[in-house]
Structure formats: structure tokens, C-alpha cells
Amino acid sequence: MSDFAKVLIIDYGAQYTMLIARRVREAGVYSEILPYSARDETIRAAGANAIILTGGPDDAGEPGAPTLSRAVLDAGVPVLGICYGMQLLAHTLGGKLANSRDREYGPAELSLSTPSPLWDGIPADAPFTVWMSHGNRVMSPPPGFTVTARTPALDLAAMADDTRRIYAVQFHPEVHHTRNGERILRNFLFTVAGLKPDWSMRSFVDRTLDACRESVGNDKVVLGLSGGVDSTVVAALLHRAVGDRLHCIFVDHGLLRRNEGEEVTDMLRRCLPGINLHHIRAGDMFLSALKGVEDPEEKRRIVGRLFVEVFEKEARKLKDVRLLAQGTLYPDVVESSSAKGTVIKTHHNVGGLPETMQLKLLEPLRDLFKDEVRAVGAQLGLPGEVLRRQPFPGPGLAVRILGEVTEERLEILRDVDSIVRRELESSGWADKIWQGFAVLLPLRTVGVMGDARTYENVAALRVVDSVDAMTAEWTRLPHDLLATISGRIVGEVKGVNRVVYDISSKPPGTIEWE
């Protein structure tokens, strides 16, 4: 991505880090996240045109709290500190911190006290609402800084050193609760840093095609094709870039939905004429390896390991194959690691390749969010039926069956899933939501059917709204539709006598249950 203007975001563990990255990209500038623990040489090698320091849960200056890499200040590019980032700048550059007597969590009224490039176009004669989330404060700014804004509870809510182009705000301009937040970020990007909005899906496609041609050269590349949006867009990119040097391997691991294997292969051959597609049926191998396994992380590791093994075996049959392509996205990378080193869940296509596998990894979508991937697909001319496909986890139904995966439980969930999908489509809700599916729970409950006692499985419905899968809100489906879905499942699927609806948001829950 070196051809694009780049904003480097240093993550100190903030819940809004990904939102900052999105806001920058929405402004037309490429953004990239590094954890605060990144080495100085990594930060220097990133070649950033501007740097943003995020918020975080720690108290700057306390023992064990994250520190500021010297490479940030030595880079000579504009810096914006947000919340913890502001406190860290103050602590590092000679200011004073103190615990706030009046802590601010939520909305606050910000008054602009001194002109600043960040405030360009914002009326200074009236306070406006910003979103605060802090427990301590900057009591006095470092030498060379000017106080530029305050709130009723905070005499120093923003500060600036115009000479060094270092700016800091205690509030969160990236959240929609902050009025003028988008303008403040754009002022930093365009007025302070002088960047050009050169990040677009058209420019991404053009440059990625060139990069893929250079990476592949005269070799061949194999792609793990699932039929989902991500891998299909990768296939379309590579098919256009290298033509018949691309070999797509569709591993049918036996954990797909009803008739999905045939549907996927038919769709791919129709949408990508002439594509080299190898359909490998390996259901027995995966199901055998999952026997007795209940831990969700272990399921993901097993599926990921076998997936790669099948790839390796099939790739050996092809001559001059040097690369393995995958549809890894940015949220996959972030969820598999964080600034605090906490893994949310292991993504089977993010763990790297075993040393025994002599294939170089190619991940052309690794820097994109899901909605950006769909935009790339549209640029490539993929039809709506492909781009509208809902996300489906790499391990398939293995992570939608809580507990052990068996053929019997797979068949039950396939029947339930078919009903959920059909009803969402026929009601028109399939095009309104981000994702809707069923989960088979590892418990049974007592019921009454036909005047007889039953003791059967529980199915949970999960339907959510989202933009990029980093956050999600449960969908308020009409009660009549929920009643129809529940009635059909209980009435038509043998082995299920109770249906529940998941009303958890992300966070705290993830979209998938495992």
C-alpha cells in the first residue's frame, strides 16, 4: 500500500480503534493499525504521512502503562493524540497529569478557546457536544503547546503545538456522538497533514491487480475458494490479474449448509467463466477429526489445519505453484490479535502456514473491511447475488453447533438453517440485515408435541445489523416473522422443540457464538 497516502494508527487498547481507521478511510485516506508494542523500526518502515494515537484503558505515566515510541516523534509527520493519546503526549513531552475530580463518561459541551487548524469551519461562538471517556486529565500542557478547548469539567480538553504539528484532544472525534467529529478528523488529514484523498476502491483495484501480477509472475497460485464474498472477490481479482495461472480449490469439508457445495461451484463457473476450479469433497476427513471435540478454538484449529493440508496435497498435483491466496480481511487480523495481546477468536486463515508447506501466502484483501470488499467486487463486475451473500465462517457449521459436531447434529442444523434462510428471503429481510443464521445449542429441554412429552434440542436465532462486523446490533425482526420461523422449525425439524432469539450486541458478544 506504499503508493497511497497513509495514516498510521497506534493502538493503545481503545474500543474505538477500528472506528478511527474507518473514519480515516471514509475520508479517502488509507489507514493502517499497529499495536503500541510495535518496534521503532516497524513504525519507521510503515512510512506514514500522519500518525494518530488512540485512547486506551490505562493511566499514562503509571507503572506498566504503554509508552510512546520515540519513532512517532522522530517521524516528523503530523500527530493527533486522542484521549489516552493526548495524556501520553503530555506526559512524554513535559506536561503534568492529574486524576480528575469530575470524571467524564459520555456527552460533554466543548468550548473552543483558541483558534486551531482542527477547528477550521467550526463556529467558535457556541459550545458543541463531544463524547468523553476518561478518568484522569492533563493539568498543564507541555512546553510549546497551547490550550485550544475546554469543557465545564475540564480546563484543558484540547491542546496544540502548531510548530511541530502535534495536536491532541481529550474527547473522541471518531464516534458519531461527537458533533463536528468528522470535520475535526478531516481537518487533521487535509488541513494539518496536507494529504490527498487517494484511497478509493477503483484505485485499490488498479494497484492490487498490478501487485498481484508482480507477486505471481510466471508461477501459479492456488486459492482457497469457499463461495463467500471474500474468497470470490479474491478469485475475481486474481482471475483478471493472472488468468489461467490461478487454480481455485473449493474444499467441501462437509460442514456446509444444505446443497451449498453444488450451489457454490455452479455460481462460480457462471460468474467467472473459464476459471480453473477444483472441487474436493473431504467431509469424512473433517468430521472424523472433529469427533469428540467441544472446544471452539480447537474446532477452528482442526478445520484450519486440515484445510491447509488438503491445499498442500492438491497443490502438489500442479506444477509451478508458488503461492496460496486467501480471503483474509482486516477484522480477521484484528480479532486474532490486539494491542493488549488478547485473542478474541482464532481465524483459520490468519495463523500463517506450517513450515512444511512451501507456498508463499497472498492475501490481497488483508487491509479491507467487509463493505470495502463488496465495493471491490462491484468494481470487478460481480453480480449482486454474489456480493449480497451473507458472511459464513470458514469452519462452517462446526462453529454453529455448540459442543461436539456429529452427522446427526449437522443434519438437524441444516434443516433449521434452511427454514431461517427461506423465511428471511421471502419476507424481504435478507436484504436488510448483515447476517442471519441459526445455532444448535448443546442442551435439551422438555416440550409437549401432539399431547406427548418431548426432550429435544434448542435452536437459537442470530440476526444482526452491521457495517464491517467489528460491531453489530441485534435486529428487531417483526414478531410475526419470528413466530413463523419458530413455528416452522419446531413443526418441521425433527429433534428441535424450542427456539430462542439472541438479543446480544457486539460487543460484548461476537456475531458467531463460537
Side-chain angles (χ1 to χ4, degrees), residues 326-382:
Q326 293 187 150
T328 306
L329 304 190
Y330 212 14
D332 300 337
V333 178
V334 172
E335 284 199 336
S336 294
S337 64
S338 74
K340 291 294 183 179
T342 301
V343 173
I344 299 171
K345 65 174 67 168
T346 300
H347 289 267
H348 78 284
N349 54 350
V350 182
L353 301 176
E355 293 181 2
T356 57
M357 191 169 190
Q358 303 301 312
L359 294 178
K360 181 181 177 182
L361 193 59
L362 182 62
E363 297 173 310
L365 305 181
R366 186 181 177 91
D367 298 307
L368 300 187
F369 295 94
K370 176 70 78 170
D371 58 316
E372 292 174 323
V373 173
R374 289 194 168 102
V376 169
Q379 285 288 330
L380 293 169
L382 290 175

Short mmCIF file of all heavy atoms in Angstrom, two decimals, residues 326-382:
data_model
loop_
_atom_site.label_atom_id
_atom_site.label_comp_id
_atom_site.label_asym_id
_atom_site.label_seq_id
_atom_site.Cartn_x
_atom_site.Cartn_y
_atom_site.Cartn_z
N GLN A 326 -5.61 -16.30 -0.07
CA GLN A 326 -6.70 -16.43 0.90
C GLN A 326 -7.49 -15.13 0.99
O GLN A 326 -6.96 -14.06 0.69
CB GLN A 326 -6.14 -16.77 2.29
CG GLN A 326 -5.52 -18.14 2.38
CD GLN A 326 -5.13 -18.53 3.79
OE1 GLN A 326 -5.13 -19.70 4.14
NE2 GLN A 326 -4.79 -17.56 4.62
N GLY A 327 -8.73 -15.24 1.46
CA GLY A 327 -9.60 -14.08 1.56
C GLY A 327 -9.59 -13.45 2.93
O GLY A 327 -10.62 -13.03 3.44
N THR A 328 -8.43 -13.35 3.54
CA THR A 328 -8.30 -12.73 4.86
C THR A 328 -8.66 -11.25 4.80
O THR A 328 -8.23 -10.53 3.90
CB THR A 328 -6.85 -12.86 5.36
OG1 THR A 328 -6.46 -14.23 5.30
CG2 THR A 328 -6.72 -12.37 6.79
N LEU A 329 -9.45 -10.79 5.78
CA LEU A 329 -9.83 -9.39 5.87
C LEU A 329 -9.21 -8.75 7.12
O LEU A 329 -8.73 -9.45 8.02
CB LEU A 329 -11.35 -9.23 5.93
CG LEU A 329 -12.18 -9.85 4.81
CD1 LEU A 329 -13.62 -9.37 4.92
CD2 LEU A 329 -11.60 -9.52 3.45
N TYR A 330 -9.30 -7.43 7.18
CA TYR A 330 -8.72 -6.72 8.32
C TYR A 330 -9.35 -7.12 9.66
O TYR A 330 -8.64 -7.32 10.65
CB TYR A 330 -8.86 -5.22 8.08
CG TYR A 330 -7.73 -4.40 8.69
CD1 TYR A 330 -6.56 -5.00 9.14
CD2 TYR A 330 -7.84 -3.04 8.81
CE1 TYR A 330 -5.53 -4.26 9.67
CE2 TYR A 330 -6.80 -2.27 9.34
CZ TYR A 330 -5.66 -2.90 9.77
OH TYR A 330 -4.64 -2.16 10.30
N PRO A 331 -10.69 -7.24 9.75
CA PRO A 331 -11.27 -7.67 11.02
C PRO A 331 -10.77 -9.05 11.47
O PRO A 331 -10.65 -9.31 12.67
CB PRO A 331 -12.78 -7.70 10.74
CG PRO A 331 -12.96 -6.68 9.67
CD PRO A 331 -11.74 -6.82 8.80
N ASP A 332 -10.47 -9.95 10.51
CA ASP A 332 -9.90 -11.25 10.88
C ASP A 332 -8.57 -11.07 11.59
O ASP A 332 -8.28 -11.70 12.60
CB ASP A 332 -9.66 -12.11 9.63
CG ASP A 332 -10.93 -12.40 8.85
OD1 ASP A 332 -12.01 -12.33 9.47
OD2 ASP A 332 -10.85 -12.67 7.65
N VAL A 333 -7.74 -10.19 11.03
CA VAL A 333 -6.41 -9.95 11.58
C VAL A 333 -6.52 -9.33 12.97
O VAL A 333 -5.84 -9.74 13.91
CB VAL A 333 -5.60 -9.03 10.66
CG1 VAL A 333 -4.23 -8.74 11.25
CG2 VAL A 333 -5.45 -9.65 9.28
N VAL A 334 -7.41 -8.35 13.11
CA VAL A 334 -7.55 -7.64 14.38
C VAL A 334 -8.10 -8.55 15.47
O VAL A 334 -7.65 -8.54 16.61
CB VAL A 334 -8.43 -6.39 14.21
CG1 VAL A 334 -8.74 -5.76 15.55
CG2 VAL A 334 -7.73 -5.39 13.31
N GLU A 335 -9.10 -9.40 15.13
CA GLU A 335 -9.69 -10.26 16.14
C GLU A 335 -8.73 -11.36 16.58
O GLU A 335 -8.87 -11.93 17.65
CB GLU A 335 -10.99 -10.89 15.61
CG GLU A 335 -12.16 -9.94 15.62
CD GLU A 335 -13.50 -10.63 15.55
OE1 GLU A 335 -13.54 -11.78 15.06
OE2 GLU A 335 -14.49 -10.04 15.99
N SER A 336 -7.74 -11.66 15.74
CA SER A 336 -6.77 -12.69 16.10
C SER A 336 -5.61 -12.14 16.90
O SER A 336 -4.78 -12.88 17.39
CB SER A 336 -6.24 -13.37 14.83
OG SER A 336 -7.28 -14.09 14.19
N SER A 337 -5.53 -10.83 17.05
CA SER A 337 -4.51 -10.20 17.88
C SER A 337 -4.99 -8.81 18.23
O SER A 337 -5.80 -8.22 17.54
CB SER A 337 -3.17 -10.12 17.15
OG SER A 337 -3.28 -9.30 16.02
N SER A 338 -4.47 -8.27 19.32
CA SER A 338 -4.86 -6.93 19.73
C SER A 338 -3.69 -6.26 20.40
O SER A 338 -2.66 -6.86 20.67
CB SER A 338 -6.05 -6.97 20.71
OG SER A 338 -5.63 -7.40 21.98
N ALA A 339 -3.86 -4.96 20.70
CA ALA A 339 -2.78 -4.21 21.33
C ALA A 339 -2.42 -4.80 22.69
O ALA A 339 -1.29 -4.71 23.15
CB ALA A 339 -3.19 -2.74 21.49
N LYS A 340 -3.37 -5.37 23.36
CA LYS A 340 -3.14 -5.97 24.67
C LYS A 340 -2.77 -7.43 24.58
O LYS A 340 -2.62 -8.11 25.58
CB LYS A 340 -4.39 -5.81 25.54
CG LYS A 340 -4.66 -4.37 25.94
CD LYS A 340 -3.58 -3.84 26.84
CE LYS A 340 -3.89 -2.43 27.30
NZ LYS A 340 -2.85 -1.91 28.20
N GLY A 341 -2.68 -7.96 23.34
CA GLY A 341 -2.26 -9.35 23.16
C GLY A 341 -3.36 -10.35 23.42
O GLY A 341 -3.11 -11.53 23.59
N THR A 342 -4.62 -9.91 23.45
CA THR A 342 -5.74 -10.80 23.73
C THR A 342 -6.36 -11.28 22.44
O THR A 342 -6.79 -10.48 21.61
CB THR A 342 -6.82 -10.08 24.56
OG1 THR A 342 -6.23 -9.64 25.78
CG2 THR A 342 -7.97 -11.01 24.87
N VAL A 343 -6.42 -12.59 22.25
CA VAL A 343 -7.06 -13.16 21.07
C VAL A 343 -8.54 -13.31 21.33
O VAL A 343 -8.95 -13.95 22.30
CB VAL A 343 -6.44 -14.52 20.71
CG1 VAL A 343 -7.23 -15.18 19.59
CG2 VAL A 343 -4.98 -14.34 20.31
N ILE A 344 -9.38 -12.68 20.50
CA ILE A 344 -10.82 -12.82 20.64
C ILE A 344 -11.25 -14.19 20.13
O ILE A 344 -11.96 -14.94 20.79
CB ILE A 344 -11.54 -11.70 19.86
CG1 ILE A 344 -11.12 -10.33 20.44
CG2 ILE A 344 -13.05 -11.86 19.94
CD1 ILE A 344 -11.61 -9.15 19.61
N LYS A 345 -10.81 -14.53 18.93
CA LYS A 345 -11.02 -15.87 18.39
C LYS A 345 -9.99 -16.10 17.30
O LYS A 345 -9.52 -15.16 16.66
CB LYS A 345 -12.45 -16.06 17.86
CG LYS A 345 -12.79 -15.20 16.67
CD LYS A 345 -14.17 -15.54 16.12
CE LYS A 345 -15.29 -15.21 17.06
NZ LYS A 345 -16.61 -15.29 16.40
N THR A 346 -9.62 -17.34 17.11
CA THR A 346 -8.65 -17.67 16.08
C THR A 346 -9.36 -17.81 14.74
O THR A 346 -10.32 -18.56 14.62
CB THR A 346 -7.94 -19.00 16.42
OG1 THR A 346 -7.27 -18.84 17.66
CG2 THR A 346 -6.93 -19.34 15.34
N HIS A 347 -8.87 -17.08 13.75
CA HIS A 347 -9.42 -17.21 12.40
C HIS A 347 -8.54 -18.16 11.61
O HIS A 347 -7.33 -18.01 11.58
CB HIS A 347 -9.51 -15.85 11.71
CG HIS A 347 -10.58 -14.98 12.30
ND1 HIS A 347 -11.86 -14.93 11.80
CD2 HIS A 347 -10.57 -14.16 13.38
CE1 HIS A 347 -12.59 -14.10 12.53
NE2 HIS A 347 -11.82 -13.62 13.49
N HIS A 348 -9.16 -19.15 10.98
CA HIS A 348 -8.38 -20.23 10.38
C HIS A 348 -7.48 -19.77 9.25
O HIS A 348 -6.54 -20.45 8.87
CB HIS A 348 -9.31 -21.34 9.88
CG HIS A 348 -9.99 -21.03 8.58
ND1 HIS A 348 -11.05 -20.17 8.50
CD2 HIS A 348 -9.73 -21.45 7.33
CE1 HIS A 348 -11.45 -20.10 7.24
NE2 HIS A 348 -10.67 -20.85 6.51
N ASN A 349 -7.74 -18.56 8.72
CA ASN A 349 -6.90 -18.09 7.62
C ASN A 349 -5.97 -16.96 8.04
O ASN A 349 -5.53 -16.17 7.24
CB ASN A 349 -7.77 -17.61 6.44
CG ASN A 349 -8.79 -16.58 6.86
OD1 ASN A 349 -8.99 -16.35 8.05
ND2 ASN A 349 -9.44 -15.96 5.90
N VAL A 350 -5.67 -16.85 9.33
CA VAL A 350 -4.80 -15.79 9.81
C VAL A 350 -3.58 -16.34 10.54
O VAL A 350 -2.65 -15.63 10.84
CB VAL A 350 -5.58 -14.84 10.76
CG1 VAL A 350 -4.70 -13.71 11.24
CG2 VAL A 350 -6.78 -14.26 10.02
N GLY A 351 -3.54 -17.61 10.80
CA GLY A 351 -2.47 -18.16 11.62
C GLY A 351 -1.18 -18.42 10.89
O GLY A 351 -0.22 -18.89 11.49
N GLY A 352 -1.10 -18.12 9.60
CA GLY A 352 0.11 -18.40 8.86
C GLY A 352 0.13 -19.84 8.38
O GLY A 352 -0.79 -20.61 8.62
N LEU A 353 1.19 -20.23 7.71
CA LEU A 353 1.30 -21.55 7.12
C LEU A 353 2.31 -22.39 7.87
O LEU A 353 3.28 -21.87 8.43
CB LEU A 353 1.73 -21.43 5.66
CG LEU A 353 0.79 -20.62 4.76
CD1 LEU A 353 1.38 -20.52 3.37
CD2 LEU A 353 -0.58 -21.24 4.72
N PRO A 354 2.13 -23.71 7.92
CA PRO A 354 3.12 -24.56 8.56
C PRO A 354 4.44 -24.54 7.81
O PRO A 354 4.48 -24.29 6.60
CB PRO A 354 2.47 -25.95 8.51
CG PRO A 354 1.51 -25.88 7.37
CD PRO A 354 1.00 -24.48 7.36
N GLU A 355 5.54 -24.79 8.53
CA GLU A 355 6.85 -24.74 7.91
C GLU A 355 7.00 -25.77 6.78
O GLU A 355 7.80 -25.60 5.87
CB GLU A 355 7.93 -24.96 8.96
CG GLU A 355 8.01 -23.82 9.98
CD GLU A 355 9.11 -24.05 10.99
OE1 GLU A 355 9.82 -25.07 10.87
OE2 GLU A 355 9.28 -23.21 11.89
N THR A 356 6.22 -26.84 6.85
CA THR A 356 6.32 -27.89 5.83
C THR A 356 5.69 -27.48 4.51
O THR A 356 5.90 -28.13 3.50
CB THR A 356 5.64 -29.17 6.33
OG1 THR A 356 4.28 -28.89 6.66
CG2 THR A 356 6.36 -29.72 7.56
N MET A 357 4.90 -26.41 4.54
CA MET A 357 4.19 -26.02 3.33
C MET A 357 5.03 -24.99 2.58
O MET A 357 5.28 -23.89 3.06
CB MET A 357 2.82 -25.44 3.66
CG MET A 357 1.95 -25.27 2.44
SD MET A 357 0.25 -24.90 2.91
CE MET A 357 -0.57 -25.04 1.32
N GLN A 358 5.44 -25.34 1.39
CA GLN A 358 6.35 -24.49 0.62
C GLN A 358 5.59 -23.57 -0.32
O GLN A 358 5.86 -23.51 -1.52
CB GLN A 358 7.32 -25.38 -0.16
CG GLN A 358 8.14 -26.32 0.70
CD GLN A 358 8.98 -25.57 1.74
OE1 GLN A 358 9.65 -24.61 1.40
NE2 GLN A 358 8.93 -26.01 2.98
N LEU A 359 4.62 -22.84 0.20
CA LEU A 359 3.85 -21.90 -0.59
C LEU A 359 3.87 -20.53 0.09
O LEU A 359 3.68 -20.43 1.30
CB LEU A 359 2.40 -22.36 -0.76
CG LEU A 359 2.16 -23.63 -1.58
CD1 LEU A 359 0.68 -23.96 -1.60
CD2 LEU A 359 2.70 -23.48 -2.99
N LYS A 360 4.07 -19.50 -0.70
CA LYS A 360 4.04 -18.14 -0.19
C LYS A 360 2.59 -17.67 -0.09
O LYS A 360 1.77 -17.96 -0.95
CB LYS A 360 4.83 -17.22 -1.13
CG LYS A 360 4.89 -15.77 -0.69
CD LYS A 360 5.67 -14.94 -1.71
CE LYS A 360 5.67 -13.48 -1.34
NZ LYS A 360 6.38 -12.66 -2.36
N LEU A 361 2.27 -16.94 0.98
CA LEU A 361 0.90 -16.50 1.22
C LEU A 361 0.60 -15.20 0.47
O LEU A 361 1.40 -14.26 0.49
CB LEU A 361 0.67 -16.30 2.71
CG LEU A 361 -0.77 -16.15 3.19
CD1 LEU A 361 -1.58 -17.39 2.83
CD2 LEU A 361 -0.79 -15.93 4.70
N LEU A 362 -0.54 -15.16 -0.18
CA LEU A 362 -1.00 -13.98 -0.91
C LEU A 362 -2.39 -13.62 -0.39
O LEU A 362 -3.34 -14.39 -0.55
CB LEU A 362 -1.03 -14.26 -2.41
CG LEU A 362 -1.45 -13.11 -3.34
CD1 LEU A 362 -0.47 -11.95 -3.22
CD2 LEU A 362 -1.53 -13.59 -4.78
N GLU A 363 -2.53 -12.44 0.23
CA GLU A 363 -3.79 -12.01 0.83
C GLU A 363 -4.12 -10.60 0.34
O GLU A 363 -3.93 -9.62 1.06
CB GLU A 363 -3.69 -12.04 2.35
CG GLU A 363 -3.45 -13.43 2.92
CD GLU A 363 -3.19 -13.42 4.42
OE1 GLU A 363 -2.33 -12.63 4.86
OE2 GLU A 363 -3.83 -14.20 5.13
N PRO A 364 -4.65 -10.47 -0.85
CA PRO A 364 -4.87 -9.13 -1.45
C PRO A 364 -5.93 -8.29 -0.75
O PRO A 364 -5.97 -7.08 -0.96
CB PRO A 364 -5.26 -9.45 -2.89
CG PRO A 364 -5.76 -10.86 -2.87
CD PRO A 364 -4.97 -11.55 -1.80
N LEU A 365 -6.80 -8.91 0.08
CA LEU A 365 -7.85 -8.15 0.76
C LEU A 365 -7.54 -7.95 2.24
O LEU A 365 -8.40 -7.49 2.99
CB LEU A 365 -9.19 -8.88 0.62
CG LEU A 365 -9.66 -9.21 -0.79
CD1 LEU A 365 -11.02 -9.89 -0.74
CD2 LEU A 365 -9.72 -7.96 -1.65
N ARG A 366 -6.35 -8.24 2.67
CA ARG A 366 -5.99 -8.24 4.08
C ARG A 366 -6.19 -6.87 4.74
O ARG A 366 -6.39 -6.77 5.95
CB ARG A 366 -4.54 -8.68 4.24
CG ARG A 366 -4.07 -8.88 5.67
CD ARG A 366 -2.61 -9.29 5.71
NE ARG A 366 -2.13 -9.42 7.07
CZ ARG A 366 -2.16 -10.55 7.78
NH1 ARG A 366 -2.66 -11.63 7.24
NH2 ARG A 366 -1.70 -10.58 9.01
N ASP A 367 -6.15 -5.80 3.97
CA ASP A 367 -6.27 -4.46 4.52
C ASP A 367 -7.68 -3.90 4.44
O ASP A 367 -7.90 -2.73 4.76
CB ASP A 367 -5.32 -3.52 3.78
CG ASP A 367 -3.86 -3.91 3.94
OD1 ASP A 367 -3.42 -4.07 5.09
OD2 ASP A 367 -3.18 -4.09 2.93
N LEU A 368 -8.66 -4.71 4.03
CA LEU A 368 -10.00 -4.19 3.78
C LEU A 368 -11.02 -4.65 4.82
O LEU A 368 -10.90 -5.72 5.40
CB LEU A 368 -10.50 -4.62 2.40
CG LEU A 368 -9.69 -4.19 1.18
CD1 LEU A 368 -10.44 -4.57 -0.09
CD2 LEU A 368 -9.40 -2.70 1.21
N PHE A 369 -12.04 -3.81 5.01
CA PHE A 369 -13.23 -4.19 5.76
C PHE A 369 -14.22 -4.84 4.81
O PHE A 369 -14.12 -4.71 3.58
CB PHE A 369 -13.86 -2.95 6.40
CG PHE A 369 -13.00 -2.30 7.45
CD1 PHE A 369 -12.16 -1.25 7.12
CD2 PHE A 369 -13.02 -2.74 8.77
CE1 PHE A 369 -11.37 -0.64 8.08
CE2 PHE A 369 -12.23 -2.14 9.74
CZ PHE A 369 -11.39 -1.09 9.39
N LYS A 370 -15.22 -5.52 5.39
CA LYS A 370 -16.16 -6.29 4.57
C LYS A 370 -16.89 -5.42 3.55
O LYS A 370 -17.04 -5.81 2.38
CB LYS A 370 -17.17 -7.00 5.47
CG LYS A 370 -18.26 -7.76 4.73
CD LYS A 370 -17.73 -9.00 4.03
CE LYS A 370 -17.53 -10.11 5.04
NZ LYS A 370 -17.24 -11.41 4.37
N ASP A 371 -17.36 -4.24 3.94
CA ASP A 371 -18.09 -3.42 2.98
C ASP A 371 -17.17 -2.93 1.87
O ASP A 371 -17.60 -2.73 0.73
CB ASP A 371 -18.77 -2.25 3.68
CG ASP A 371 -17.78 -1.36 4.44
OD1 ASP A 371 -16.90 -1.90 5.12
OD2 ASP A 371 -17.90 -0.13 4.34
N GLU A 372 -15.87 -2.75 2.17
CA GLU A 372 -14.91 -2.37 1.14
C GLU A 372 -14.70 -3.52 0.15
O GLU A 372 -14.51 -3.30 -1.05
CB GLU A 372 -13.59 -1.96 1.78
CG GLU A 372 -13.69 -0.67 2.59
CD GLU A 372 -12.41 -0.34 3.33
OE1 GLU A 372 -11.74 -1.27 3.83
OE2 GLU A 372 -12.08 0.86 3.42
N VAL A 373 -14.74 -4.76 0.66
CA VAL A 373 -14.60 -5.92 -0.21
C VAL A 373 -15.76 -5.98 -1.19
O VAL A 373 -15.57 -6.25 -2.39
CB VAL A 373 -14.54 -7.22 0.62
CG1 VAL A 373 -14.57 -8.45 -0.29
CG2 VAL A 373 -13.28 -7.24 1.47
N ARG A 374 -16.96 -5.71 -0.71
CA ARG A 374 -18.12 -5.71 -1.61
C ARG A 374 -17.97 -4.61 -2.67
O ARG A 374 -18.36 -4.79 -3.81
CB ARG A 374 -19.40 -5.51 -0.80
CG ARG A 374 -19.78 -6.74 0.04
CD ARG A 374 -21.21 -6.64 0.56
NE ARG A 374 -21.65 -7.90 1.11
CZ ARG A 374 -21.72 -8.17 2.41
NH1 ARG A 374 -21.37 -7.25 3.29
NH2 ARG A 374 -22.13 -9.35 2.84
N ALA A 375 -17.41 -3.47 -2.27
CA ALA A 375 -17.18 -2.39 -3.23
C ALA A 375 -16.17 -2.81 -4.29
O ALA A 375 -16.31 -2.47 -5.47
CB ALA A 375 -16.72 -1.13 -2.51
N VAL A 376 -15.14 -3.55 -3.89
CA VAL A 376 -14.17 -4.07 -4.85
C VAL A 376 -14.86 -5.03 -5.82
O VAL A 376 -14.63 -4.99 -7.03
CB VAL A 376 -13.01 -4.79 -4.12
CG1 VAL A 376 -12.14 -5.57 -5.11
CG2 VAL A 376 -12.16 -3.78 -3.37
N GLY A 377 -15.71 -5.91 -5.27
CA GLY A 377 -16.44 -6.84 -6.12
C GLY A 377 -17.30 -6.14 -7.14
O GLY A 377 -17.39 -6.56 -8.31
N ALA A 378 -17.93 -5.04 -6.73
CA ALA A 378 -18.74 -4.27 -7.66
C ALA A 378 -17.87 -3.66 -8.75
O ALA A 378 -18.26 -3.62 -9.93
CB ALA A 378 -19.51 -3.18 -6.92
N GLN A 379 -16.68 -3.18 -8.38
CA GLN A 379 -15.76 -2.63 -9.37
C GLN A 379 -15.35 -3.69 -10.39
O GLN A 379 -15.10 -3.39 -11.56
CB GLN A 379 -14.50 -2.09 -8.67
CG GLN A 379 -14.69 -0.77 -7.95
CD GLN A 379 -14.83 0.39 -8.90
OE1 GLN A 379 -14.29 0.40 -10.00
NE2 GLN A 379 -15.61 1.39 -8.50
N LEU A 380 -15.28 -4.94 -9.94
CA LEU A 380 -14.88 -6.03 -10.82
C LEU A 380 -16.05 -6.60 -11.61
O LEU A 380 -15.88 -7.52 -12.41
CB LEU A 380 -14.24 -7.15 -9.99
CG LEU A 380 -12.89 -6.80 -9.34
CD1 LEU A 380 -12.49 -7.88 -8.35
CD2 LEU A 380 -11.81 -6.62 -10.41
N GLY A 381 -17.25 -6.09 -11.37
CA GLY A 381 -18.41 -6.51 -12.14
C GLY A 381 -19.09 -7.76 -11.63
O GLY A 381 -19.89 -8.36 -12.36
N LEU A 382 -18.82 -8.18 -10.40
CA LEU A 382 -19.50 -9.35 -9.85
C LEU A 382 -20.97 -9.03 -9.62
O LEU A 382 -21.32 -7.94 -9.19
CB LEU A 382 -18.84 -9.78 -8.54
CG LEU A 382 -17.44 -10.40 -8.66
CD1 LEU A 382 -16.85 -10.67 -7.28
CD2 LEU A 382 -17.47 -11.68 -9.48
#
